[in-house]
Amino acid sequence: GIRGFISYRKETGRTERHSHTTFFSLSDSLLDVSQLQEQPKEQLAWNAAAYYHIKFRKKHTVNLSYGFQYSKDDERTDYTDLTAGPVLTDSLSYRSDSRMLRHELQADLILDWERARLSATFILSPARKELSTARRDGQSVRRNYTALLHSQSILFHSLLGEDNSIDLSYYGEKSMPYDELLIFIPDYSDPLNVRTGNPDLKNPYRLRTELSVSTLQSKMQLNVNYSTTRNATDYRVVFDPETGGRLYMPDNINGNYDLGSQLSYHTVFGQLTWGSTVAYRYQHAAKFMQYAGESQASRNIGENHGIQVGLSPSYSRTFLTTELNATYTLDRRSNRSMEQGNYRLQQYRAEWKATGYI
């Protein structure tokens, strides 16, 4: 492999209240892993970045950066299973090439106060990707994709009163689908189960947010989190009643999210330590499902409600320590389209341990 690196750094106006920093770097790497794997593969990447740093009022910081990346990924897969026959061998042997040029504008903000801190990162990334794939049987596909990708990350921490605190976080990212989902030549090696790609897939957006509140005086902690994916990917199945064959194609689907919360309490009464937790989780899952007599897959919704209660008291003396861990779990899953798929599960678990000292 070959790797190079060039950097330039400059600092001006450095004082106690204000400072600037400029940084530039350029690097490249070339890797040929054809000797490391059974199939030849070549990867090439160029990276460049420039940074500008501002610090004001001793505590607050702003970082601005620009970078670009050019990457090349070539891969060839050969199947030499002679027992599979020439048709299957040719249909599975392929070569795929990927070229991607991506610009990235990033802004980092850090604000510090006496009892609070806020840090945020915003990234804007225009990207262009060229994909091509070809098989030995002569079929080939070439497509270009452009997208305006972005991500956000926000973290906030604050002290409330003497011993209380609150934390809030948010993260969101818009990305491109995987290459094999966008560009994939239909595979007819099994005529009854044909798989293909979908060049019209939308870019997924994933987000997660979380809130945590801690009260040390009453020794309680509350945590709430939420996550979801917009334009998630699932395989849609198209059924041909005349031939009995199925076509599997990735497609975008919405309605997948997860909500969770947990409340914990911990306190001490002399030699007795008492701990307890209550947790709840709700999952809403959407996927494509095909039923008998339908030529197109329909959208199916599954729900999951989960509750867990835990107790963990312990008692300690000079010659004896005893502990108890007990949990109760209730899991209820339902399917809006399939009544027979609903079920309810209850689980109890208890563990007691005693240790004596002589």
Side-chain angles (χ1 to χ4, degrees):
I2 303 173
R3 183 178 298 274
F5 182 78
I6 302 174
S7 66
Y8 168 77
R9 185 182 184 93
K10 180 181 180 182
E11 294 190 14
T12 59
R14 187 173 185 83
T15 64
E16 292 184 357
R17 297 181 58 85
H18 200 154
S19 66
H20 301 272
T21 302
T22 303
F23 180 75
F24 172 78
S25 67
L26 175 65
S27 63
D28 73 274
S29 61
L30 173 63
L31 177 64
D32 185 356
V33 294
S34 58
Q35 303 300 325
L36 305 179
Q37 301 179 354
E38 296 181 358
Q39 307 300 339
K41 184 176 182 180
E42 181 179 331
Q43 294 176 329
L44 173 67
W46 277 87
N47 299 274
Y51 305 87
Y52 185 70
H53 172 83
I54 304 174
K55 186 175 183 180
F56 56 97
R57 294 187 179 180
K58 296 183 180 180
K59 298 181 179 180
H60 308 318
T61 303
V62 176
N63 295 320
L64 303 176
S65 65
Y66 163 78
F68 79 88
Q69 180 187 47
Y70 173 78
S71 60
K72 169 185 174 183
D73 193 342
D74 298 339
E75 182 177 3
R76 185 175 71 251
T77 302
D78 295 323
Y79 290 86
T80 56
D81 186 2
L82 300 180
T83 62
V87 176
L88 179 59
T89 301
D90 288 341
S91 64
L92 293 181
S93 300
Y94 69 93
R95 177 180 178 88
S96 62
D97 301 327
S98 173
R99 308 287 187 273
M100 184 172 181
L101 177 62
R102 180 170 178 169
H103 302 267
E104 188 172 285
L105 302 172
Q106 179 172 334
D108 301 303
L109 175 66
I110 300 177
L111 301 178
D112 277 317
W113 296 281
E114 183 178 354
R115 301 179 62 83
R117 177 184 176 91
L118 172 66
S119 60
T121 299
F122 304 94
I123 301 177
L124 185 63
S125 179
R128 175 181 174 83
K129 179 179 289 188
E130 299 178 0
L131 299 176
S132 64
T133 182
R135 287 206 308 243
R136 283 185 179 178
D137 56 8
Q139 297 191 57
S140 62
V141 178
R142 178 183 296 272
R143 289 184 179 272
N144 298 329
Y145 299 91
T146 58
L148 183 60
L149 309 179
H150 56 82
S151 65
Q152 312 83 34
S153 176
I154 301 175
L155 301 174
F156 177 75
H157 172 77
S158 177
L159 298 177
L160 305 176
E162 294 295 331
D163 300 316
N164 305 325
S165 65
I166 180 172
D167 293 272
L168 177 64
S169 65
Y170 173 87
Y171 179 77
E173 180 184 14
K174 183 179 182 180
S175 59
M176 296 187 69
Y178 294 114
D179 295 352
E180 58 269 20
L181 299 178
L182 290 171
I183 180 170
F184 185 84
I185 302 175
D187 180 11
Y188 295 100
S189 58
D190 183 359
L192 297 180
N193 295 278
V194 179
R195 296 183 179 273
T196 185
N198 185 358
D200 298 323
L201 282 178
K202 298 179 181 179
N203 300 318
Y205 181 78
R206 303 175 180 87
L207 71 86
R208 176 179 174 83
T209 181
E210 184 173 353
L211 172 66
S212 179
V213 180
S214 300
T215 58
L216 298 182
Q217 290 182 351
S218 57
K219 299 178 181 178
M220 297 181 61
Q221 184 176 15
L222 173 65
N223 180 275
V224 180
N225 60 79
Y226 171 80
S227 62
T228 184
T229 300
R230 183 72 177 173
N231 292 326
T233 303
D234 190 27
Y235 275 92
R236 181 189 292 271
V237 182
V238 179
F239 176 72
D240 187 352
E242 296 183 358
T243 63
R246 290 176 171 84
L247 173 64
Y248 296 84
M249 182 180 68
D251 201 355
N252 293 115
I253 190 170
N254 294 314
N256 292 280
Y257 57 88
D258 192 313
L259 176 65
S261 62
Q262 178 174 307
L263 177 65
S264 60
Y265 177 74
H266 179 83
T267 189
V268 178
F269 303 99
Q271 283 78 33
L272 176 64
T273 300
W274 180 269
S276 60
T277 59
V278 178
Y280 170 76
R281 184 179 183 184
Y282 173 74
Q283 291 178 300
H284 188 278
K287 64 178 182 178
F288 293 115
M289 183 173 291
Q290 180 184 341
Y291 302 95
E294 293 183 349
S295 59
Q296 295 287 338
S298 58
R299 187 169 175 265
N300 181 67
I301 300 296
E303 295 179 299
N304 181 19
H305 299 264
I307 300 176
Q308 186 177 73
V309 180
L311 300 176
S312 56
S314 64
Y315 181 79
S316 179
R317 296 294 297 268
T318 305
F319 57 90
L320 176 66
T321 299
T322 179
E323 303 176 6
L324 173 65
N325 292 314
T327 58
Y328 166 74
T329 302
L330 172 63
D331 190 8
R332 181 179 178 272
R333 298 190 178 185
S334 61
N335 192 300
R336 295 182 182 179
S337 304
M338 300 175 59
E339 295 297 334
Q340 67 273 18
N342 302 339
Y343 75 92
R344 180 177 178 180
L345 174 66
Q346 298 186 68
Q347 186 177 16
Y348 305 88
R349 180 178 179 273
E351 179 182 356
W352 178 75
K353 181 174 67 174
T355 304
Y357 303 95
I358 300 177

